[in-house]
Amino acid sequence: MERESLLNPGSTIGIIGGGQLGRMLAIAARQMDYRTVVLDPDPGCPSGQVTDGQIAEPYSSRDASRELARSTDVVTYEFENVDADSVSAAAELAPVHPSASVLRTTQHRLHEKNALLKAGVSVAPFRHVQSLEDLQQAGVDLGFPMVLKTATEGYDGKGQEIITRAEDIERSYESLAARKTELIVEQFVPFKMEISTICARTADGQTATFPPSENVHRNHILDVSIVPARIPDSVTENARLLAADIATQLDVVGLISVEMFVTKENELLVNELAPRPHNSGHYTMDGCDTSQFEQLVRVLAGMPIAEPKLHSPTVMVNLLGEVWVDTDGDPDWARALEMPGVSLHLYGKAEPRVGRKMGHINVVADTVEDALYIATEARDRAWRRSR
Ligand SMILES: Nc1ncnc2c1ncn2[C@@H]1O[C@H](COP(=O)(O)OP(=O)(O)O)[C@@H](O)[C@H]1O
Ligand SMILES: [Mg+2]
């Protein structure tokens, strides 16, 4: 029953995965006086710096995930590349949200696309690739360009090849087939914009969606999120309805992040799902009255969820390792924070590497244009790149 699953402040949330998403979840939990324990092998991980406890074992260890479940009241995970069997093992001892079955679907691009089709959701035409011949046939069926992807373990564009002509098929196939995971190939979508919408869903089926963000990627890594997205209101509304529909049809309890392409005709094609907080939802920390992390804490605790509202236009810019590398480890935060409406979020990662997500800047302003200008300028200042 509903009341049985209500966890009051003082209860403990277990988090599998110790990255920045777990860290920001733990900070939101702490605000409401929930306790947190993280499972991550790295003793200095971003989450472990702020959680009450850490089990420093591999995520794939069943014993460790059972130990996490035994020492907490509810368990969640903050990235998809965790072993679904160890999540199932935890589920024998504590509620796990979203379920191991949602994880299994969303961690495998083919299962994910098939689940979306079954739910009546539009996706780019795709083919399962089990041989070079399959990929050659896909070139005939789908046309060029097409995007070859590993079915599992891809992120930030890793495990992807864009194939622009038939002559490149063999080389792309060889390069990804070497990874020994299943492959999928998709038609390249000439989108006019990428957006994402995060939906929260409770155990009793209530949903609430955050405003969609307009996402700009650089080198396949999210660079900037702009909210409100610069699309017609009807498309915004459709994106929210679509995300809520997916959450319901997949029976998600927790958060589901839905990445979509907006076509020239303003159609929405779903690209991928993530059953967790999302980089493109970091704007909610300063732009909304409830953040994605607080919302997830509420779902996990069985508390009522908020109907999140954007109170001001907000832009997020990611801070990747190059900001540190290019400034010899000394970004100019003071100059960045001189700009109005800037909030700095850093993840506590000791080692900056090019392309590594180290933090983000949120900027809240009166208009989207102002927020975009200030956010870019603040990052350039930290990066010591401004004139
Ligand atoms: N079918 C496609 N058509 C056009 N662009 C694509 C397609 N698939 C992926 N991309 C581009 O590559 C980015 C990363 O791909 P995605 O499938 O989201 O993988 P991941 O985020 O896990 O690396 C997308 O955000 C988009 O910019
Ligand atoms: Mg993606």
Side-chain angles (χ1 to χ4, degrees):
M1 293 297 294
E2 233 173 291
R3 285 219 71 86
E4 283 175 44
S5 55
L6 182 70
L7 300 175
N8 275 310
S11 308
T12 306
I13 297 170
I15 307 169
I16 303 177
Q20 64 268 16
L21 299 173
R23 175 187 176 98
M24 291 182 273
L25 178 63
I27 291 171
R30 172 60 56 79
Q31 183 185 318
M32 290 184 272
D33 204 29
Y34 288 95
R35 299 170 54 81
T36 50
V37 177
V38 65
L39 167 59
D40 189 289
D42 173 6
C45 68
S47 305
Q49 298 166 26
V50 301
T51 53
D52 296 275
Q54 176 168 359
I55 299 170
E57 299 285 342
Y59 328 105
S60 52
S61 155
R62 312 255 166 103
D63 288 342
S65 63
R66 285 197 192 98
E67 186 188 338
L68 181 72
R70 264 193 297 271
S71 56
T72 57
D73 299 297
V74 62
V75 172
T76 192
Y77 43 89
E78 57 109 54
F79 75 140
E80 292 102 291
N81 297 334
V82 315
D83 178 11
D85 290 337
S86 72
V87 171
S88 295
E92 290 163 16
L93 299 164
V96 176
H97 300 305
S99 68
S101 107
V102 169
L103 175 64
R104 265 179 236 281
T105 302
T106 55
Q107 72 183 181
H108 192 290
R109 290 189 197 275
L110 273 164
H111 299 171
E112 181 173 273
K113 287 264 178 354
N114 285 324
L116 287 166
L117 285 182
K118 198 167 150 222
V121 173
S122 302
V123 300
F126 68 93
R127 294 285 186 277
H128 185 183
V129 174
Q130 292 175 288
S131 65
L132 179 60
E133 292 68 40
D134 284 354
L135 188 57
Q136 278 156 344
Q137 185 59 43
V140 176
D141 298 346
L142 306 178
F144 297 92
M146 48 185 194
V147 188
L148 182 65
K149 303 180 180 179
T150 58
T152 57
E153 276 157 35
Y155 68 98
D156 290 344
K158 293 184 174 63
Q160 291 194 23
E161 293 266 334
I162 296 181
I163 307 176
T164 51
R165 45 188 201 140
E167 298 77 64
D168 295 340
I169 285 184
E170 198 164 332
R171 196 183 39 78
S172 295
Y173 179 78
E174 299 299 337
S175 105
L176 287 193
R179 303 202 182 198
K180 304 263 179 289
T181 107
E182 286 184 90
L183 299 177
I184 177 175
V185 66
E186 303 168 8
Q187 203 169 67
F188 182 87
V189 179
F191 54 81
K192 73 168 182 187
M193 188 188 286
E194 289 190 84
I195 63 169
S196 53
T197 308
I198 297 167
C199 180
R201 185 168 175 274
T202 63
D204 59 1
Q206 286 181 52
T207 58
T209 54
F210 286 92
S213 72
E214 171 181 342
N215 301 325
V216 182
H217 294 83
R218 183 185 285 181
N219 301 329
H220 299 277
I221 303 176
L222 181 66
D223 186 38
V224 182
S225 286
I226 301 164
V227 193
R230 292 167 295 180
I231 44 176
D233 289 348
S234 59
V235 182
T236 297
E237 184 58 19
N238 285 344
R240 296 180 86 151
L241 291 172
L242 187 58
D245 187 37
I246 291 169
T248 302
Q249 295 214 47
L250 267 57
D251 198 14
V252 172
V253 176
L255 300 183
I256 186 98
S257 308
V258 183
E259 295 179 16
M260 313 174 206
F261 301 127
V262 185
T263 68
K264 282 188 223 49
E265 294 76 30
N266 280 328
E267 280 168 350
L268 296 174
L269 297 178
V270 171
N271 172 36
E272 62 167 355
L273 307 175
R276 51 164 173 81
H278 198 260
N279 194 171
S280 67
H282 293 350
Y283 83 86
T284 62
M285 301 173 84
D286 297 291
C288 289
D289 45 11
T290 309
S291 76
Q292 60 172 344
F293 301 103
E294 177 183 337
Q295 190 81 312
L296 179 55
V297 171
R298 289 182 182 219
V299 174
L300 295 173
M303 289 286 173
I305 50 173
E307 192 56 57
K309 282 186 199 61
L310 182 75
H311 54 71
S312 309
T314 305
V315 166
M316 181 222 65
V317 290
N318 260 338
L319 299 169
L320 301 182
E322 32 276 52
V323 175
W324 281 253
V325 171
D326 294 347
T327 57
D328 291 328
D330 184 30
D332 195 346
W333 302 122
R335 278 204 73 218
L337 289 167
E338 276 171 4
M339 301 289 290
V342 169
S343 299
L344 177 63
H345 300 261
L346 296 176
Y347 306 152
K349 297 184 185 176
E351 209 186 303
R353 283 193 302 271
V354 171
R356 188 173 197 205
K357 292 171 184 162
M358 302 289 291
H360 66 272
I361 284 173
N362 280 342
V363 173
V364 172
D366 291 337
T367 67
V368 155
E369 291 71 27
D370 286 355
L372 192 52
Y373 171 78
I374 295 167
T376 313
E377 173 68 18
R379 180 170 62 182
D380 279 348
R381 286 183 175 199
W383 209 334
R384 302 183 186 277
R385 286 174 141 201
S386 53
R387 299 119 301 211

